[in-house]
Amino acid sequence: MITTDTNEIQLNPYTRTFKDCSGTPLYLTAKEFDLLYFLYSHKGQVFTKEQLYDNVWGNDYITDTRNLTSFIRKLRKKIEPDPDKPIYVLTVWGIGYKFNENKP
């Protein structure tokens, strides 16, 4: 289980549960959880959209960058205090996405 202090998110890969910084459980779809867990497990590492498709969806998935952008947007709406100013899932312009290495 990945636990953090009470001021941060809580992510449990065994129960596939997520709690926001107030401890409130939030519902994530299977792919939203997979995407968040993958990024969280590799804090600070930048992944291209293609790498995220390969690692989260698998090689059989036809990549469509708009689909991934939509997943990121929906995920941010659920986990970020202000989705327009994300602090967890960050965009690395021209490359892809990463989980903020400075966040537990």
Side-chain angles (χ1 to χ4, degrees), residues 3 10 24 39 44 46 58 62 66 75 88 95 97 99:
T3 55
Q10 298 174 27
T24 304
L39 289 169
V46 180
I62 298 172
R66 292 175 305 213
L75 184 59
Y88 296 111
I95 300 173
Y97 300 97
F99 193 93

Side-chain angles (χ1 to χ4, degrees), residues 4-70:
T4 61
D5 65 42
T6 56
N7 294 325
E8 298 297 333
I9 63 172
Q10 298 174 27
L11 190 62
N12 187 327
Y14 304 109
T15 60
R16 297 184 61 83
T17 55
F18 171 83
K19 293 181 182 178
D20 68 10
C21 54
S22 69
T24 304
L26 298 176
Y27 172 76
L28 298 178
T29 67
K31 283 300 174 200
E32 287 170 344
F33 186 90
D34 292 344
L35 179 59
L36 178 60
Y37 184 68
F38 180 78
L39 289 169
Y40 185 92
S41 297
H42 300 88
K43 283 184 185 179
Q45 186 174 348
V46 180
F47 292 94
T48 66
K49 293 176 181 180
E50 292 77 18
Q51 289 172 317
L52 289 173
Y53 275 117
D54 287 346
N55 286 285
V56 177
W57 278 266
N59 294 329
D60 296 332
Y61 195 83
I62 298 172
T63 59
D64 177 356
T65 57
R66 292 175 305 213
N67 190 31
L68 182 60
T69 303
S70 176

Side-chain angles (χ1 to χ4, degrees), residues 2 50 55 80-81 84:
I2 297 169
E50 292 77 18
N55 286 285
E80 297 284 357
D84 293 328

